[in-house]
Amino acid sequence: MGTQKCRIAELRKEAGLSRYRLAAMAGVAEKSVRNYEAKGIGNARYGAVKRLAMALGVPMEDLEEEE
C-alpha cells in the first residue's frame, strides 16, 4: 500500500465547516479532528471515520488519497 495523505481538512474547508462543527456533526472530539487532519486516519476507529465521512457527505474512501 502506498503512502496516504489525509483529505479531511480539504473536504472540511470545501464544505465550509469549522473543526468544531465537523466534530459536533460526527460525534468526535475537536482534538480528534485536528489529529486526523495532521496525522491521517490510519489509527482512527472505524466508527469515527464512518461518521466523519457521513458528516462531510463523502464515501469513507475519499478521506484518504493515494499520493
Side-chain angles (χ1 to χ4, degrees):
M1 197 189 276
T3 303
Q4 296 286 311
K5 180 181 177 188
C6 184
R7 294 189 61 222
I8 293 175
E10 174 186 344
L11 294 167
R12 176 180 59 78
K13 290 172 187 172
E14 286 176 6
L17 298 171
S18 66
R19 283 188 187 114
Y20 176 82
R21 183 70 182 132
L22 176 58
M25 291 170 65
V28 300
E30 184 179 359
K31 182 178 179 179
S32 295
V33 173
R34 191 177 321 111
N35 286 337
Y36 299 151
E37 289 181 354
K39 301 175 186 173
I41 57 173
N43 293 326
R45 293 180 185 253
Y46 176 84
V49 175
K50 184 175 181 179
R51 291 191 308 272
L52 284 167
M54 288 176 59
L56 290 166
V58 299
M60 287 175 54
E61 304 81 47
D62 284 2
L63 298 183
E64 289 192 333
E65 64 183 12
E66 289 285 339
E67 283 187 349

